Amino acid sequence: MGEMTKKKILIVDDDENIAELISLYLIKECFDTETASNGEEAIDKVKSYHPDLILLDIMLPGIDGYDVCREVRKSSNVPIIMLSAKGEVFDKVLGLKIGADDYIVKPFDSNELVARVQAILRRSEKQEVHEETNVEEESGDVVQYDGLVVNLTGYSVVYNGKSVEMPPKELELLYFLASSPNQVFTREQLLDRIWGYDYIGDTRTVDVHVKRIREKIKDGSNWSISTVWGIGYKFEVK
């Protein structure tokens, strides 16, 4: 990997030991890193350092992680992974609403952290490439219905001929439902399939995502995202 291609990661944590440790893991994997120990510094560094991804602790002195996330989202779509210590009161739903891409709970395994960072960077690269070329990709994982094309490979959604901005998890949820038409999934099943083991128990996460998908795409002529009362959701095709 040449210097030019190193991805830049901003690590925001008021515990310098943790920030340093994360930095070491990432440098070992050929990332370039900078650290910030509070919210104000983080916001400044986003502007001066232009990171490709931000690891953002929730509990920060002064401006907390939620506020940093809101502030960054006003001007940038840079992927954000929120960090929270085990046992901290952490509102995942609020985090998702304000635009975080993922979460990881401390203490975490270094391999897991690196894997999450790499997965999210791969996703955002796919989105960028797709936006630049803006070609309707027919290959890969695509589901198509009347007025709707969901492309998991290129991370794009086209609704009534227009491209729709969707964060990765919304897109993955929509793709998952749409690729199993008329099959009912419980919220727990969806949590498990889209978010993995970490999220078990907080089924509001699914509801928030479905609500946000529905705000962006209304039902088609012969399909809809239906709520199955007391159970979960299905992508209904008439």
Side-chain angles (χ1 to χ4, degrees):
M1 250 190 181
E3 275 305 310
M4 294 303 289
T5 53
K6 273 194 182 178
K7 291 283 183 190
K8 299 192 289 191
I9 315 284
L10 177 61
I11 303 156
V12 186
D13 199 311
D14 62 332
D15 183 329
E16 281 172 24
N17 296 332
I18 291 181
E20 198 50 43
L21 200 61
I22 296 174
S23 182
L24 290 171
Y25 294 148
L26 293 171
I27 289 167
K28 202 171 105 223
E29 299 294 328
C30 287
F31 290 107
D32 187 73
T33 66
E34 286 237 344
T35 59
S37 58
N38 61 56
E40 287 87 345
E41 192 188 345
I43 290 163
D44 288 343
K45 288 220 169 153
V46 169
K47 291 172 185 151
S48 60
Y49 180 57
H50 302 299
D52 294 295
L53 182 140
I54 303 170
L55 289 169
L56 178 58
D57 192 37
I58 304 294
M59 296 298 191
L60 295 168
I63 307 176
D64 70 7
Y66 295 121
D67 288 337
V68 172
C69 186
R70 282 192 190 94
E71 192 55 42
V72 169
R73 278 287 168 266
K74 287 177 187 170
S75 59
S76 167
N77 263 339
V78 58
I80 295 174
I81 301 180
M82 296 195 118
L83 309 174
S84 79
K86 212 176 182 60
E88 264 177 18
V89 178
F90 172 35
D91 191 336
K92 291 172 180 159
V93 172
L94 175 63
L96 293 167
K97 273 184 183 155
I98 59 179
D101 294 81
D102 205 351
Y103 301 94
I104 194 157
V105 177
K106 300 188 284 191
F108 41 74
D109 176 68
S110 61
N111 295 334
E112 187 196 355
L113 177 74
V114 169
R116 296 259 189 123
V117 166
Q118 288 169 334
I120 286 188
L121 285 171
R122 271 200 303 276
R123 275 203 298 241
S124 63
E125 272 169 20
K126 278 180 183 170
Q127 279 176 314
E128 277 164 27
V129 167
H130 186 78
E131 279 160 19
E132 281 165 22
T133 53
N134 212 9
V135 178
E136 284 280 315
E137 291 165 48
E138 292 305 323
S139 61
D141 301 320
V142 180
V143 286
Q144 280 182 300
Y145 292 94
D146 185 34
L148 181 69
V149 183
V150 185
N151 183 327
L152 192 66
T153 309
Y155 270 84
S156 65
V157 177
V158 177
Y159 173 63
N160 290 340
K162 290 196 175 69
S163 187
V164 179
E165 281 287 307
M166 256 189 213
K169 289 285 187 250
E170 283 173 35
L171 191 144
E172 286 165 22
L173 179 60
L174 175 60
Y175 178 84
F176 181 73
L177 288 169
S179 51
S180 303
N182 296 323
Q183 191 175 334
V184 179
F185 294 99
T186 67
R187 290 171 176 82
E188 283 78 8
Q189 282 173 319
L190 293 169
L191 275 174
D192 191 49
R193 291 302 293 269
I194 311 296
W195 284 270
Y197 58 92
D198 277 0
Y199 287 79
I200 301 308
D202 194 354
T203 54
R204 289 179 311 158
T205 304
V206 177
D207 299 336
V208 169
H209 276 70
V210 169
K211 183 167 168 281
R212 289 178 60 175
I213 292 169
R214 283 174 172 158
E215 282 163 7
K216 292 171 190 177
I217 61 170
K218 305 292 174 244
D219 296 343
S221 56
N222 59 354
W223 56 267
S224 62
I225 299 165
S226 304
T227 304
V228 183
W229 293 109
I231 302 174
Y233 296 99
K234 69 174 175 177
F235 189 90
E236 197 171 338
V237 179
K238 297 169 189 64

